[in-house]
């Protein structure tokens, strides 16, 4: 009766629920970096490319880091020729799509670093998604 075994395994994998947004390929991050702060500045920004590898929307609801007193999701918008920043409470990632955090658009506003950051330093920022997924991402400080 050995032949039964692979059949049972196949059935079980077909029946097991699809994880909401696990770290294993659920949401991935590329090219994560932080702008190096000029001396005396207490504020900088983090950028990255977020990718939702699932067939469902994923919602970024918060970010935090032990390296900064405050991390906020921000978006730079231009209205009537004036640039300003807004603080969206969440950002939805469309299924199987990427969202780019870049200068002039979405960014992570990083305030009050707990130590001096130099180009090349790694800083971990935790991205929190609706449903409980927390994705620790290594950002690199760049000039
Ligand atoms: Cu900002």
């Amino acid at each position: 009766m050995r032949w039964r075994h692979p059949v049972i395994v196949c059935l079980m994998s077909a029946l097991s629920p699809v994880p909401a947004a696990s770290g294993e390929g659920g949401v991935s991050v590329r090219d994560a970096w932080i702008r190096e702060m000029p001396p005396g500045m207490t504020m900088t920004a983090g950028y990255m490319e977020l990718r939702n590898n699932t067939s469902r929307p994923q919602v970024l609801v918060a970010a935090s880091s032990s390296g900064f007193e405050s991390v906020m999701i921000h978006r730079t918008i231009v209205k009537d020729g004036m640039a300003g920043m807004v603080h969206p409470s969440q950002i939805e990632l469309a299924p199987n799509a990427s969202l780019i955090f870049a200068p002039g658009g979405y960014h992570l506003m990083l305030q009050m670093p707990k130590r001096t950051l130099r180009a090349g330093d790694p800083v971990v920022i935790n991205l929190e998604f609706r449903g409980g997924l927390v994705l620790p991402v290594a950002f690199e400080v760049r000039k």
Side-chain angles (χ1 to χ4, degrees), residues 74 85 107 109:
H74 270 199
M85 294 193 292
H107 55 280
M109 200 80 225

Side-chain angles (χ1 to χ4, degrees), residues 43-45 72-76 85-86 105 107-110:
M43 190 181 280
T44 186
M72 284 193 291
I73 300 164
H74 270 199
R75 185 180 196 180
T76 300
M85 294 193 292
V86 293
H107 55 280
L108 295 174
M109 200 80 225
L110 309 169

Side-chain angles (χ1 to χ4, degrees), residues 122-133:
V123 182
V124 173
I125 298 177
N126 297 305
L127 303 178
E128 300 167 29
F129 293 85
R130 185 189 290 160
L133 170 72

